[in-house]
Amino acid sequence: MRTPARPVLVVIAHGSRDPRHAATVHALVRRVRSLRPGLRVETGFLDFNVPSVGGVLESLAAQGVRDVVALPLLLTRAFHAKADIPAVLREAPARLRIRQTDVLGPSPLLLSALERRLYEAGLTSADKSSTGVVLASAGSSDPEAIAVIADIAREWWHTGWCAVRPAFASAGSPAGFSRTEDAVRELRAAGCERVAVAPYVLAPGFLPDRIARGAADADVLADVLGPAPEVARVLLERYDETARAVPLALGA
């Protein structure tokens, strides 16, 4: 009797004209493969980059694959996760059985990845109580995504930082959210000895560059989350949660 094949993991990234974006996504996927040898992991992009999500799914179907776990490479459940990605998956070949995972955040592992990036940028654990952190996300108009970012900032603050202030990089930030540069000034005014900016984004691009410009007056600017090992582990957690619910086809 053949061993049931594990579903193929298809990582769905947004895509960008900035070549650093795709390079970072591919680096993250390579880390996922290194953590789970034998798991087939493919990458598809919604825009700008190839292969497209549709192209990846067509190719898998042509190869005889039956079961797919589609993972949105997103930190919050906003428009792309709720509308764009389901629409693309509905156009997939009928022979494919596709389950979409939840987005990556929130997760304690992502908080660990944020701290990793801050420590790599020069901070130490001894700096926490005197350092204010700007949790700088790309931004969203989705109320659920906005609430999640605020919750993450509160949770992270309770781990010992002097303060954690959420900020959005996109234009038209919602009420209660500052731009990165404004949040830096607010933390200085609140008496934090130093200010660090932690981009809550996965890959470089237009909005992460805006975060970096807004961090000009900060003492520390961390790198994007990128292929941090904690991020790769979150991808595998989401895959495992969803793969357990996928009926497997023998010999697929």
Side-chain angles (χ1 to χ4, degrees), residues 18 27 31 33 39 52 71 81 86 93 98 108 118 124 127-128 140 153 163 165 175 177 182 185 216 229 245 251:
D18 188 323
R31 187 177 287 275
R33 292 184 181 124
L39 173 63
S52 67
L71 188 151
I98 302 175
L118 285 173
T124 70
D127 296 322
K128 292 185 74 168
S140 175
R165 185 70 55 90
F177 281 78
D182 295 330
R185 286 193 291 268

Side-chain angles (χ1 to χ4, degrees), residues 135-160:
L135 178 67
S137 67
S140 175
S141 60
D142 185 283
E144 180 182 353
I146 294 167
V148 166
I149 297 299
D151 287 344
I152 292 170
R154 281 191 292 269
E155 179 181 351
W156 203 15
W157 172 57
H158 287 305
T159 67

Side-chain angles (χ1 to χ4, degrees), residues 64-118:
V65 171
R66 292 294 307 277
D67 293 299
V68 170
V69 169
L71 188 151
L73 196 60
L74 301 167
L75 294 172
T76 58
R77 252 178 58 81
F79 183 78
H80 291 305
K82 295 177 179 179
D84 283 352
I85 291 175
V88 170
L89 297 181
R90 284 194 294 271
E91 299 299 317
R95 68 166 279 121
L96 292 177
R97 294 183 292 206
I98 302 175
R99 299 286 181 96
Q100 180 180 329
T101 76
D102 201 355
V103 295
L104 303 185
S107 166
L109 284 170
L110 293 177
L111 285 182
S112 296
L114 285 165
E115 295 212 0
R116 170 189 291 275
R117 293 303 189 223
L118 285 173

